[in-house]
């Protein structure tokens, strides 16, 4: 009796083990997943100056698959403004990369409405994973670190000397003065602010001009231009009315400086009195700068300084030693910014902490060692 009981117990235990094993296998069994996949033959490109012959454009091939099978007739787009490109029967597509614009650009699938796999329309589950397929294109100027030296004034800081590597014959516009600012106020004959007025200047027979923002409720406006000390016409437009200087009169804007221009409109007629009390122009500090800058992709608030690159692309970062030892990535950005200061910034000048910040689509890169 005892033997039979043991035998039955062993059989039952064995059966239990089999059942448990089967249940465990069922729990871990997952449906086979065929992920959508996008492949590009090249994803990193050295930036190049725009050329009229189109040589700054580079064509590359890509392919969209689901598992190992090509996806046809899906629509692919580079960035948010690029044209949509249909994939071919074999899943391939061609992109044109504009190497004149530094950028990190996402390439993604934007529609699978007419897509097919092996000639058959795709199903819902397939559509979801195909739509999640993406890759990215990065266009940048290579950066090289030439030397790292201890700071002369602070042992906790290092001076990182670096440079943009510029191809022979290439031209890079580094951060420099682009335009100056005309700002000021438009008031009526009683001195009250005039809202929604437009201030317009032109020279060379209208070939060169600048147009202000509409004046705000305080009559304030601004516009940006490049002064050449040439004869300039001045017009103020309020609704359908146009106010101009007396016939034969022109305005001379000083070279290489911003100005504050206060304009009092006449009580009657359309002629702006050019007397100093009615038309007051004073120099103002500041200028708009634009061009290429580099920085470090570090957590916000990390204190470091960077200089404006010189003509050879050389710049210097002053960085906490412990931050630099973590090998942070560089970033590159094309920055346009008005800087209100008396002294004009030039190559080699150190920019304030936090002046240069990376944008979402600015390329990040590891600098080459010296």
């Amino acid at each position: 009796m005892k033997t039979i009981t043991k035998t039955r117990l062993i059989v039952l235990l064995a059966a239990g083990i089999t059942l448990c094993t089967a249940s465990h296998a069922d729990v871990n069994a997952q449906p086979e997943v065929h992920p959508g996949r996008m492949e590009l033959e090249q994803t990193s490109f050295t930036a190049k100056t725009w050329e009229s012959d189109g040589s700054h454009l580079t064509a590359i091939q890509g392919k969209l698959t689901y598992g190992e099978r090509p996806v046809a007739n899906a629509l692919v787009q580079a960035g948010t403004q690029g044209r949509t490109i249909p994939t071919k029967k074999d899943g391939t597509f061609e992109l044109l990369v504009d190497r004149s614009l530094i950028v990190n650009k996402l390439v993604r699938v934007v529609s699978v409405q007419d897509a097919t796999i092996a000639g058959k329309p795709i199903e819902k589950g397939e559509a979801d994973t195909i739509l999640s397929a993406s890759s990215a294109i990065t266009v940048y100027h290579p950066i090289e670190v030439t030397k790292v030296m201890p700071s002369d004034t602070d042992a906790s800081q290092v001076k990182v000397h670096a440079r943009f590597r510029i191809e022979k014959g290439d031209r890079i516009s580094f951060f420099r003065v682009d335009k100056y600012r005309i700002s000021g106020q438009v008031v009526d004959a009683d001195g009250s602010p005039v809202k929604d007025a437009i201030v317009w200047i032109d020279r060379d027979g209208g070939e060169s001009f600048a147009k202000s923002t509409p004046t705000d409720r305080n009559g304030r406006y601004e516009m940006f231009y490049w002064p050449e000390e040439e004869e300039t016409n001045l017009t103020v437009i309020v609704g359908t009315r146009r106010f101009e200087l007396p016939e034969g009169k022109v305005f001379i804007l000083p070279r290489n400086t911003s100005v504050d221009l206060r304009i009092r409109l006449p009580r009657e007629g359309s002629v702006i009195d050019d007397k100093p009390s009615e038309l007051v122009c004073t120099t103002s500090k500041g200028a708009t700068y634009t061009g290429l800058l580099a920085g470090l992709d570090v957590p916000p608030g990390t204190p470091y300084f960077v200089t404006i690159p010189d003509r050879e692309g050389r710049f210097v970062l002053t960085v906490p030693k412990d931050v630099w030892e973590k090998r942070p990535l560089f970033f590159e950005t094309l920055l346009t910014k008005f800087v209100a200061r008396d002294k004009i910034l030039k190559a080699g000048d150190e920019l304030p902490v936090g002046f240069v910040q990376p944008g979402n689509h600015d390329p990040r890169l590891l600098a080459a060692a010296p």
Side-chain angles (χ1 to χ4, degrees):
M1 185 69 177
K2 290 182 179 179
T3 303
I4 293 172
T5 302
K6 286 181 179 179
T7 303
R8 287 179 178 175
L9 182 60
I10 291 170
V11 171
L12 288 172
L13 285 172
I17 292 171
T18 302
L19 288 171
C20 288
T21 304
S23 298
H24 184 69
D26 289 341
V27 168
N28 287 287
Q30 298 291 333
E32 188 177 2
V33 177
H34 296 284
R37 185 177 181 185
M38 180 185 294
E39 296 178 281
L40 301 176
E41 65 177 355
Q42 185 178 348
T43 57
S44 296
F45 301 85
T46 299
K48 188 180 187 304
T49 301
W50 185 92
E51 300 288 352
S52 59
D53 62 2
S55 58
H56 60 287
L57 300 174
T58 298
I60 63 167
Q61 296 292 321
K63 187 171 185 178
L64 181 64
T65 56
Y66 178 77
E68 299 297 325
R69 297 176 294 173
V71 180
N73 297 320
L75 295 182
V76 174
Q77 185 180 45
T80 57
Q81 303 297 323
R83 67 185 182 90
T84 55
I85 304 167
T87 57
K88 299 177 183 178
K89 186 176 181 180
D90 61 357
T92 62
F93 57 92
E94 183 177 274
L95 285 177
L96 272 181
V97 178
D98 186 348
R99 293 172 55 194
S100 69
L101 302 173
I102 64 166
V103 73
N104 181 263
K105 184 183 296 186
L106 185 68
V107 183
R108 60 195 180 97
V109 182
V110 294
S111 176
V112 291
Q113 182 176 344
D114 300 319
T116 59
I117 298 175
K120 298 179 180 179
I122 64 174
E123 299 177 357
K124 177 66 168 63
E126 296 170 331
D128 291 341
T129 185
I130 294 170
L131 284 169
S132 68
S134 66
S135 187
I137 291 171
T138 302
V139 182
Y140 62 96
H141 294 284
I143 292 176
E144 177 184 32
V145 173
T146 55
K147 62 181 177 180
V148 179
M149 304 175 62
S151 170
D152 294 333
T153 58
D154 188 344
S156 69
Q157 305 272 329
V158 292
K159 294 279 188 179
V160 180
H161 294 253
R163 69 180 183 95
F164 289 94
R165 290 198 301 211
I166 306 172
E167 294 184 1
K168 185 177 180 180
D170 206 6
R171 302 178 301 278
I172 300 178
S173 179
F174 294 113
F175 196 66
R176 62 184 179 182
V177 173
D178 177 51
K179 293 179 180 178
Y180 291 88
R181 181 173 72 174
I182 300 175
S183 61
Q185 186 184 36
V186 178
V187 298
D188 62 19
D190 297 318
S192 299
V194 177
K195 188 176 182 297
D196 295 328
I198 299 293
V199 180
W200 176 288
I201 63 169
D202 66 83
R203 59 190 183 213
D204 299 332
E207 294 180 7
S208 176
F209 65 89
K211 177 183 176 183
S212 78
T213 57
T215 53
D216 62 17
R217 61 190 180 89
N218 296 313
R220 303 294 303 182
Y221 69 91
E222 69 175 5
M223 58 181 148
F224 299 90
Y225 79 120
W226 187 268
E228 296 289 351
E229 286 188 346
E230 294 181 6
E231 296 181 350
T232 303
N233 299 309
L234 173 66
T235 304
V236 179
I237 303 171
V238 183
T240 58
R241 300 185 65 188
R242 296 173 64 91
F243 299 87
E244 298 178 314
L245 294 173
E247 185 175 356
K249 295 284 186 176
V250 291
F251 197 71
I252 304 294
L253 292 167
R255 181 188 295 272
N256 297 342
T257 185
S258 294
V259 298
D260 185 271
L261 180 61
R262 188 178 187 276
I263 306 167
R264 184 187 292 267
L265 300 179
R267 190 178 300 279
E268 297 179 357
S270 60
V271 177
I272 301 171
D273 195 336
D274 61 340
K275 295 178 181 177
S277 60
E278 310 300 313
L279 190 63
V280 182
C281 182
T282 56
T283 58
S284 176
K285 63 182 180 180
T288 298
Y289 297 77
T290 190
L292 183 65
L293 287 171
L296 291 178
D297 191 19
V298 292
T302 303
Y304 75 91
F305 298 90
V306 63
T307 64
I308 298 174
D310 64 15
R311 291 180 178 274
E312 283 70 46
R314 297 171 298 197
F315 60 95
V316 180
L317 302 106
T318 303
V319 190
K321 184 178 180 181
D322 59 337
V323 172
W324 179 249
E325 288 174 347
K326 294 177 182 177
R327 299 287 290 167
L329 296 177
F330 283 76
F331 71 84
E332 299 177 1
T333 187
L334 286 171
L335 182 64
T336 297
K337 192 169 185 175
F338 182 82
V339 182
R341 54 176 287 175
D342 292 323
K343 181 185 175 183
I344 295 299
L345 295 170
K346 61 183 185 303
D349 283 349
E350 194 171 68
L351 298 171
V353 171
F355 187 93
V356 188
Q357 296 291 333
N360 292 334
H361 302 293
D362 288 335
R364 274 71 164 173
L365 62 148
L366 185 67

